[in-house]
Amino acid sequence: MMEAGEAERGILNMQKLSGAQILIESLVREGAEAVFGYPGGVTLPVYDILYSHPLRHVLVRHEQNAAFAAQGYARATGKAGVCMATSGPGATNLTTGLVDALLDSIPVVAITGQVPQALIGRDAFQEADTFGISRSATKHNYLVKDVREVAQTVHEAFHIAVSGRPGPVLIDITKDVLLGKTSYSEDQPMAPLRGYRPEAEPDEEEIEQAVRFLWNAERPYIYAGGGVISSGASRELVRLSEILEAPLAHTVMGLGAMPSEHPNFISMLGMHGSYAANMGITECDALIGLGVRFDDRVTGRLDKFAPHAQVLHVDIDPAEINKNRRADLGIVGDARTVLQRLNEALESTRESLGGVRRRERLAWMAHIREMKRQHPFTFTPSDEEIKPQVLMRKLDRIAGGDAIVTVDVGQHQMWAAQLMRFNKPRLWQSSSGLGSMGFGVPAAVGAKFARPEKLVMAIVGDGGFMMSIPELGTIAANRLPVKIIVMNNNSLGMVRQWQELFYDRRYSEVFIEAFPDAHLLAAAFGLSGGTVADPADLDRALDTAFSDPGPYLLNVQVTPEECVYPMVPAGGAVSDMIMEPAAEPVGAAAGD
């Protein structure tokens, strides 16, 4: 309860402010450090306040990229990213980025302007039903029609965005509210949010059941996803694997939760996961799903996924338990809290229960490690073309497992996920659920603002890069030393791969023609850039790009017809992998 002195101070500090002023002050109060946005007529009152306010605004070149940049900031920090757009097309352009954040559970607070209340429903200039449009694109949304509700709404939006299962929240504010005035104080207490109580604490009886479940397993296997990173549970995850002496595989969203160099880490699993990771899922007798949603790109044919396993599923969102795969034991709660309780209970029962099946567990771990040794990611070497796998290995050495890497969607994304190391959480940023092309470059912008001390590289395909070229202007204007590496195979590579393997090489509308000269394109924005096509020149080109103190655009022309292997065909079981024929282990050629 608030002390009397605090209440009096809040009343004394009250002053009349406009809705736009209250909005900005409320953002600062909630810890916002930067807003990624694009102005318009309805939001001019806000931008008038920003003219002399210390809150940093980053002018992007497209509203969709404002949402992606806000995601880049949020993914790098765990805090809510903030984006802003005007009414109508500005708000609708945000929608893709909001759906993207929703599917990947990324906390974003989006601010949009709306036409004055008197014009709503009259087809006014730049009017759109943003509230209705964004309802299924967000975790929650608001339409603010009273200036007295601005501060409370902002407070609730940040709380909802970051708590429970994180996600995007949109606040649509009419122009008359932005111009209207009411009393405000930064000391003014915010009312508690009623009716929203995410379950964070696990049930103690379920923890006890989980302990018996785990110690009873002979072939335990940990399947960890983005929820582990969202909850900050990486240390607890590693400890669980070490206590159980159990192998661990990540979803694409989970990369970095366990260090890639940890001996218990196997790889990514799923459609383009490793042989060892997918066969481990197929052969295990106990599957521990942590912060995952049993996505179809992981499970493949669901009735053949972990066919011999009992399932323990831990998730903050009760809707995920039993949604896709039935759980023999489901625990609703924050992953970090659950793992802390579970690890304590496992430690206390290690001597009494843990030794019964330890020999079997050690043999199981040895079996998985041997599969990993015998079936590494492979490729067919070439002295004439730059192989994309070679490029990824070289970028991995530069990153050293400690750089922030953002990607678009497609073949480059999968090769980076397979072959690059991430030894800490919040280094890998991928549009995983929605699969949005054009994500990588604006996400890198947001990540660099969030973590200016880190090396940030955007590894993108030529198709996705063409969708994000305008943000070179944002990078140039802010002199962000982001390294953009275009893996250029002159096509929409993953679509081309499917057409090659499943459509009899009937290549329809997948080739990217008229790709711009990287040196000239970069120079047009005042940046440095270049192109490399000869394997003998790749090291020198990468040295030039990464030794440059500023931004750099490097176009790397790789083998045009190269497929990502292994691959689980659509509708197949994860054990039904198409393997690379007559290939050598990745890293065996081209000076790697």
Side-chain angles (χ1 to χ4, degrees), residues 64-65 408 436-439 462-470 492:
Q64 174 177 286
N65 295 331
D408 275 346
S436 302
M437 293 177 67
F439 172 87
D462 44 326
F465 174 70
M466 294 287 278
M467 295 184 178
S468 55
I469 285 177
L492 304 176

Side-chain angles (χ1 to χ4, degrees), residues 206 380 384 392 571 582:
E206 290 175 342
T380 303
E384 299 177 354
M392 294 305 165

Side-chain angles (χ1 to χ4, degrees), residues 219 281-287 304-310 325:
R219 302 186 304 279
I281 283 282
T282 305
E283 296 177 8
C284 71
D285 70 349
L287 182 62
K304 297 292 185 181
F305 181 74
H308 311 295
Q310 290 189 308
R325 169 64 186 262

